[in-house]
Amino acid sequence: MSPRPSSSSRIGGCFLLVFFGLFMVFPLFVAWLVNTQGAKVSGSITVMYIVLGVFFLVGLFGVIYGIKNLLQGPKPPGKGGKLMAQYSGIPKAPEVQKLANGYYRLNPEASHKAQFWTLLAVALFWNGITWTVFLADSKDSDDSPVWFIAIFMIVGALIFAGAIWNLLKWLMVGETHVDINEPNPTPGQKLEILVSQPGRYSIDRLSIHLVCKEKATYRQGTDTKTKTEIVREAPVCDLEQLTSRDGQILAHQACQVPTDAMPGFASSNNEITWMIRVKMVLPGRPDVEQFYPFRIMAPDVKRIEVGGRG
Amino acid sequence: VADLKILIDLTPQPPAYRPGDKIRGVVTVRNPEGAWEATYLNLMLYWQTSGIGTRDEGVAKTIVLAEKGTQVPAMFTREFELELPLFPWTYFGQLIKIQWQVGVFAKSGWFGSTEFELPIEIRPEGMAGSTGPDDTVIYYDEFGRPTTPPSTV
């Protein structure tokens, strides 16, 4: 077998060459236009040549770097051929609160309270800018494109509505509590789930699921984007016509973690997280859907890390 | 050393192994042009992610086959042993894939490096390692058995 060529690094190298090559060609082209074609320059010609010179130098260094990369070929894992530190991919233990009854209380992925404050901050920032622009623009000219600013104002209104919706959930429903008997179960292990709800409500429907979410972060241009997807789903229960009484247990369910579940995984840009999803339909109040992350561990890793407790 | 021929033989045969397995292997590096001076010649056991996310990687074990500046004979052979790590398992998800490799990386002088990667799978028995066809969510019943999608609330 012959060594596998690293085509992606070669494509990247060629791209670098072309990109920085254009940096080099651009100032030469402008200089040619000015000197031979008589193109007019607004401002100082000295400043123009300095700027062109900077462009040329950046391009030159880029081209040299690109050629060096192409000639060097593929690198081993780790930057510049240096050996990387050991990295296990095991996610951090979730923050849980141990209760007197021996169960562990999970924190929601994003509480209604946190979502409200976050959306409110974004709404204030967004609407502050758009309204300022709108008011300044409407004073300055009569023929301004109002519809253009209106798009931004509608987006601002939607963000504000989202904040209000979460405020309603926070005030009218409160935070649902989810407790489990084992914060680090292994595939195939039995898991007990307790769900309770502060306040006195009648609940039309309550469903509990185990879900596995994959989260991938990537660069697109100058933006960093994150894509999240639920890739596995295991229903635990689907209950109807319940009544919550000041934090009493609404549901006490047992389930088995899927035997072929991939344990939780975390690296810089990729994550696999298991969560308990609780959905509630309450008459006359906003529906609730909350995710409570916990950690499924590989059996051997758990034996070493937590000594097989639980 | 652009013409290096690299070969890795593993026992037991790849690709499927269990976490914690001990495997043995022989790496052979042949240079038709004769002996060469190594900038590095390393064997690595490492995982890499692939998919939509930016690639992450982690090295479980590195064996330095030849120190920097060492003269490597035209036909170089070395036996090695590896204890496979317990985690992460090989995984083929919808957004994320995790794959293990045994790789040999060689370089001489400033330019001209060569790599050879042998993909292996590390996962326990009964772990399919895949979520099924793309864009499919697998649903389970309360006993962990695959089932039909539940009705939504």
Side-chain angles (χ1 to χ4, degrees):
Chain A
M1 285 186 280
S2 61
R4 185 178 67 79
S6 176
S7 57
S8 59
S9 65
R10 299 212 184 280
I11 293 167
C14 291
F15 176 78
L16 268 182
L17 272 182
V18 171
F19 182 76
F20 285 110
L22 288 174
F23 261 75
M24 282 180 73
V25 170
F26 170 70
L28 296 176
F29 177 67
V30 174
W32 174 75
L33 281 180
V34 172
N35 289 324
T36 63
Q37 304 297 308
K40 287 184 180 171
V41 178
S42 61
S44 163
I45 198 154
T46 312
V47 171
M48 185 200 77
Y49 275 117
I50 289 171
V51 171
L52 291 180
V54 170
F55 265 75
F56 184 81
L57 283 176
V58 169
L60 182 68
F61 283 117
V63 166
I64 292 170
Y65 180 76
I67 291 172
K68 180 173 166 277
N69 254 7
L70 272 181
L71 289 175
Q72 277 190 330
K75 289 173 184 170
K79 299 283 181 202
K82 288 177 187 162
L83 306 185
M84 285 174 50
Q86 290 215 353
Y87 189 38
S88 68
I90 301 167
K92 280 194 295 188
E95 284 182 22
V96 291
Q97 178 193 349
K98 186 159 188 185
L99 304 175
N101 61 3
Y103 282 71
Y104 297 85
R105 178 152 294 171
L106 301 176
N107 292 318
E109 187 182 29
S111 66
H112 301 314
K113 185 179 169 184
Q115 286 182 68
F116 163 67
W117 286 115
T118 306
L119 283 171
L120 184 67
V122 174
L124 288 175
F125 179 74
W126 184 280
N127 288 306
I129 292 173
T130 49
W131 276 92
T132 305
V133 171
F134 173 72
L135 292 174
D137 200 45
S138 59
K139 275 182 192 171
D140 290 348
S141 63
D142 298 330
D143 55 347
S144 60
V146 176
W147 57 268
F148 183 72
I149 298 171
I151 293 170
F152 290 90
M153 292 170 78
I154 289 168
V155 172
L158 288 174
I159 298 170
F160 191 69
I164 297 299
W165 185 245
N166 275 287
L167 177 67
L168 289 176
K169 283 185 185 176
W170 175 25
L171 296 178
M172 295 177 71
V173 183
E175 301 292 353
T176 309
H177 294 151
V178 174
D179 309 328
I180 55 176
N181 63 324
E182 167 56 60
N184 301 294
T186 56
Q189 189 173 345
K190 186 182 166 192
L191 190 65
E192 284 182 46
I193 303 170
L194 306 183
V195 175
S196 55
Q197 177 69 44
R200 297 173 74 89
Y201 307 109
S202 63
I203 296 162
D204 280 352
R205 202 163 176 187
L206 164 71
S207 72
I208 305 171
H209 290 72
L210 297 185
V211 297
C212 176
K213 270 189 188 180
E214 290 179 5
K215 188 167 106 177
T217 307
Y218 57 98
R219 300 277 300 176
Q220 194 170 62
T222 53
D223 295 337
T224 300
K225 296 196 171 183
T226 300
K227 189 169 182 187
T228 306
E229 205 153 303
I230 291 176
V231 295
R232 290 190 165 200
E233 188 162 339
V236 177
C237 68
D238 198 352
L239 307 170
E240 291 182 351
Q241 305 304 330
L242 304 168
T243 306
S244 75
R245 291 189 180 84
D246 296 327
Q248 283 184 4
I249 305 297
L250 269 176
H252 182 174
Q253 299 288 326
C255 65
Q256 187 184 18
V257 175
T259 50
D260 65 346
M262 174 67 180
F265 168 84
S267 57
S268 305
N269 301 291
N270 297 276
E271 275 179 40
I272 300 167
T273 311
W274 282 86
M275 303 182 187
I276 295 170
R277 182 176 70 192
V278 175
K279 274 185 176 179
M280 280 198 293
V281 178
L282 299 103
R285 296 171 193 274
D287 291 351
V288 173
E289 183 182 27
Q290 288 276 62
F291 292 88
Y292 297 81
F294 66 105
R295 182 171 66 160
I296 293 181
M297 290 186 83
D300 295 328
V301 174
K302 181 177 176 180
R303 201 173 54 240
I304 293 167
E305 188 170 303
V306 293
R309 278 187 286 114
Chain B
V1 290
D3 291 332
L4 280 185
K5 306 292 179 197
I6 302 175
L7 185 72
I8 302 171
D9 271 328
L10 294 180
T11 311
Q13 282 288 311
Y17 300 103
R18 305 275 172 253
D21 273 0
K22 288 187 172 66
I23 59 172
R24 286 179 293 114
V26 179
V27 57
T28 307
V29 182
R30 190 165 64 84
N31 185 11
E33 295 164 13
W36 53 284
E37 186 179 317
T39 303
Y40 57 72
L41 177 59
N42 298 331
L43 180 138
M44 286 187 193
L45 171 65
Y46 60 97
W47 57 261
Q48 288 180 325
T49 62
S50 58
I52 191 171
T54 303
R55 189 175 79 174
D56 293 321
E57 52 196 10
V59 176
K61 176 82 178 171
T62 301
I63 298 172
V64 177
L65 300 173
E67 297 285 352
K68 188 177 180 183
T70 308
Q71 278 292 316
V72 181
M75 185 71 173
F76 173 88
T77 303
R78 166 91 178 266
E79 291 184 6
F80 63 89
E81 277 189 1
L82 292 170
E83 183 174 345
L84 300 181
L86 303 173
F87 199 74
W89 299 345
T90 299
Y91 176 74
F92 296 95
Q94 288 179 22
L95 302 181
I96 301 167
K97 293 173 179 58
I98 304 168
Q99 287 163 297
W100 280 93
Q101 322 254 15
V102 179
V104 172
F105 298 87
K107 187 177 179 185
S108 180
W110 275 89
F111 303 113
S113 62
T114 306
E115 66 177 13
F116 176 77
E117 292 168 327
L118 182 65
I120 62 170
E121 293 176 9
I122 304 177
R123 57 182 174 222
E125 208 161 346
M127 168 79 185
S130 169
T131 55
D134 283 352
D135 303 327
T136 304
V137 177
I138 295 183
Y139 295 92
Y140 295 91
D141 64 13
E142 61 271 38
F143 304 107
R145 297 175 302 207
T147 185
T148 51
S151 59
T152 52
V153 172

